[in-house]
Amino acid sequence: MKLFGKSLTLPFTKPSISKRDQKYIWHPLTQHKLNPELLAIKSAKGAILKDESGKTYIDAIASWYTSMYGHCHPEIVKKVKAQMDTLDQVVFSGFTHEPAVELSEKLMEILPKNQSKLFFNDNGSTATEIGIKMALQYHHNQGNDRKVMLALEDGFHGDTFGAMSVSSLSVYNGAFEDHFIKVIRLPKPDGQNNAEVIKQLKSVLKENTIAGFIYEPLVQGAAAMKTYDLKGLEEILKLCKAQDVICVADEVMTGFGKTGKHFASDYLSQKPDVMCLSKALSAGMVGMGITSCTKKVYKAFYADDVAKGLFHGHTYTGNPLACAAAIAGIELLQSQEIQDSIKTIMSLNQLFADKMRKHPMVGEVRQIGVILALDLNLEMERYGNARDEMFQFFMSKGIFLRPLGKTIYILPPYIITEAQLAKIYAVIEDYLSIIEERALKALSV
């Protein structure tokens, strides 16, 4: 460009993060033809996300239930930074290190007392994948012909092949179902159908060679935070254990305080043989998973025969930085401050739940721990225009909620303030008022 005969160089304007993203990145759970541009988050602190334009959002689901102690918590950042100066990464096959050992010691303090060994891995799907492999190989190593897994209807356990096999949400699994391991599904006990469920279970155990039973204890996350009967689950676990069926508790979502106890399994007298952990395990800082098991399970792999070992490994297994984050997270979980915050959130959620039960646009309301779910009195696809409109409404009001179809759920970080929670509740009520007004207009036409 020339001005008064002189050449001028215009300042280069870098495209937005959102625009640059579109060139190369393929995002999870996204149909890019329908959603070509995604929101770019520039920074986060506490319960607040900030996008590249400077707009802020309250993170009402702790970024998929990971950042339960808030984003960039100073204690977690401090421990991870210190670890960076000492040891960043080393292969975990043939080596060990202090952060992994310290984490194992701290985790054993809060896990159910029957847990004995920890197998480190990378994420929630691999944690459950290993749990499934433990159940199958436990019997294989002992010469037992057991190749069938038992799972609950509506369960979700991850995106790897074993995890998909035991999941039953077809929106995720449809293209791969011909490749799955054999799985039998059991209805969830709801307190009214317990006798029928137990009758069906007895028949399944008699007629099939069941290796393991995998379940999300008390709350099925991806199924829209569906809760089910504690006593019914106790009966299922008792029967399975009597038949040496390895019971695998998928606590990827429920673990680390979300149900009001450290683990949902703490509500049960029948403890799992295997536990799958991830998400809040490493406090939202670095990806990590752990699968724990009892001595009984571990002994089936402990042999002179090398082939009886669990030959499963990941490059970043036991990553020291992830271990440091997890150690800091467990210390925060055990602190009085966080425990008091959990109780406060539970109390406020319960009050809001009681109010919502009276709302004409709300059907079922479910609440356990810091988890609150509201089913709308509307028909809505899990991923569709109506659901997307609801999501955009919340975002326009500065609230990050991620509805599962017609279900609005709240699962906030423990450090959220009462004022921030009040804003979340108010925006949900605003949305309910809008759809109630629409419903009334439709009736009057």
Side-chain angles (χ1 to χ4, degrees):
M1 179 180 177
K2 289 189 176 183
L3 184 64
F4 304 120
K6 295 183 178 180
S7 296
L8 296 177
T9 303
L10 294 176
F12 172 72
T13 303
K14 193 174 186 179
S16 68
I17 298 171
S18 296
K19 289 296 182 186
R20 290 160 56 209
D21 171 279
Q22 293 177 51
K23 190 172 182 180
Y24 299 116
I25 299 179
W26 190 346
H27 286 265
L29 305 181
T30 303
Q31 174 49 267
H32 281 274
K33 189 170 184 179
L34 301 176
N35 300 280
E37 187 168 343
L38 284 83
L39 182 67
I41 299 300
K42 196 76 178 283
S43 62
K45 188 71 175 177
I48 300 296
L49 305 173
K50 183 183 285 189
D51 70 20
E52 61 182 329
S53 71
K55 184 175 179 179
T56 59
Y57 311 84
I58 298 172
D59 188 353
I61 63 165
S63 288
W64 257 348
Y65 346 129
T66 58
S67 302
M68 297 309 299
Y69 314 102
H71 295 276
C72 299
H73 192 291
E75 289 301 314
I76 300 171
V77 171
K78 180 181 175 182
K79 279 193 178 291
V80 174
K81 280 183 175 178
Q83 184 57 48
M84 283 181 177
D85 291 331
T86 306
L87 178 65
D88 53 355
Q89 165 65 10
V90 68
V91 64
F92 208 56
S93 177
F95 293 102
T96 190
H97 49 75
E98 173 63 24
V101 173
E102 184 182 350
L103 173 56
S104 69
E105 293 165 346
K106 288 189 176 295
L107 195 51
M108 281 300 177
E109 289 177 6
I110 63 172
L111 282 172
K113 298 304 179 187
N114 71 331
Q115 299 300 293
S116 177
K117 291 288 183 178
L118 306 175
F119 195 97
F120 285 71
N121 45 79
D122 283 3
N123 55 59
S125 290
T126 57
T128 57
E129 194 83 8
I130 291 164
I132 294 162
K133 290 174 82 170
M134 283 181 175
L136 293 170
Q137 193 176 341
Y138 167 86
H139 289 289
H140 174 81
N141 283 358
Q142 297 176 89
N144 301 329
D145 183 24
R146 298 202 193 187
K147 298 181 175 69
V148 181
M149 289 295 295
L150 180 68
L152 292 176
E153 292 176 356
D154 298 325
F156 178 77
H157 301 284
D159 297 322
T160 49
F161 268 89
M164 281 195 296
S165 297
V166 294
S167 301
S168 59
L169 296 176
S170 60
V171 67
Y172 302 110
N173 299 347
F176 312 105
E177 290 178 352
D178 290 344
H179 309 283
F180 288 171
I181 60 176
K182 187 173 180 183
V183 177
I184 294 174
R185 305 193 193 285
L186 194 67
K188 295 186 300 294
D190 60 16
Q192 303 300 316
N193 68 346
N194 289 15
E196 291 84 357
V197 171
I198 294 304
K199 182 180 178 181
Q200 183 173 332
L201 174 60
K202 287 178 178 178
S203 176
V204 166
L205 292 174
K206 184 178 180 180
E207 297 171 8
N208 300 272
T209 54
I210 304 296
F213 166 54
I214 188 166
Y215 59 101
E216 298 160 272
L218 304 185
V219 190
Q220 294 181 313
M225 301 299 164
K226 288 183 178 177
T227 54
Y228 61 102
D229 189 60
L230 184 152
K231 289 183 179 179
L233 179 57
E234 289 271 28
E235 291 184 70
I236 292 171
L237 294 174
K238 190 174 181 179
L239 270 175
C240 285
K241 284 175 172 288
Q243 298 293 321
D244 202 23
V245 172
I246 299 302
C247 296
V248 181
D250 177 355
E251 295 244 20
V252 169
M253 189 281 287
T254 52
F256 301 96
K258 300 185 195 81
T259 62
K261 292 182 181 288
H262 289 336
F263 301 96
S265 295
D266 292 337
Y267 285 97
L268 300 153
S269 60
Q270 297 290 329
K271 303 303 181 186
D273 301 301
V274 173
M275 292 180 70
C276 311
L277 312 172
S278 189
K279 290 195 182 288
L281 165 66
S282 49
M285 184 66 67
V286 185
M288 187 184 204
I290 286 178
T291 307
S292 67
C293 69
T294 61
K295 283 183 180 177
K296 181 184 86 167
V297 172
Y298 179 72
K299 281 182 179 179
F301 295 79
Y302 190 77
D304 293 325
D305 184 354
V306 173
K308 286 190 174 182
L310 181 57
F311 275 77
H312 187 116
H314 298 273
T315 303
Y316 281 90
T317 291
N319 174 258
L321 305 181
C323 289
I327 291 165
I330 291 173
E331 289 173 351
L332 286 168
L333 178 65
Q334 293 177 297
S335 71
Q336 192 61 50
E337 181 182 3
I338 292 296
Q339 286 301 310
D340 288 344
S341 294
I342 290 173
K343 290 174 184 174
T344 297
I345 296 168
M346 289 171 63
S347 177
L348 293 171
N349 272 356
Q350 186 60 62
L351 289 172
F352 187 61
D354 291 341
K355 185 178 182 180
M356 289 296 97
R357 287 187 178 97
K358 302 170 187 174
H359 199 288
M361 297 309 298
V362 176
E364 186 179 346
V365 177
R366 300 178 292 280
Q367 192 262 331
I368 179 172
V370 302
I371 304 167
L372 173 62
L374 316 172
D375 288 347
L376 303 183
N377 280 327
L378 294 172
E379 289 304 315
M380 194 178 295
E381 293 180 4
R382 186 180 182 90
Y383 296 107
N385 292 336
R387 178 266 174 201
D388 291 346
E389 179 190 86
M390 178 164 44
F391 171 77
Q392 292 301 334
F393 174 84
F394 293 139
M395 292 296 285
S396 73
K397 300 293 184 180
I399 305 294
F400 174 40
L401 287 166
R402 189 179 169 88
L404 292 166
K406 67 178 182 179
T407 302
I408 302 169
Y409 72 93
I410 303 169
L411 208 170
Y414 303 140
I415 49 76
I416 197 166
T417 66
E418 291 188 31
Q420 289 167 337
L421 265 178
K423 183 176 179 182
I424 295 168
Y425 300 151
V427 169
I428 291 173
E429 289 190 83
D430 287 346
Y431 180 75
L432 293 176
S433 295
I434 290 171
I435 60 173
E436 183 180 13
E437 185 178 342
R438 285 180 188 169
L440 290 172
K441 283 182 179 178
L443 286 173
S444 65
V445 172

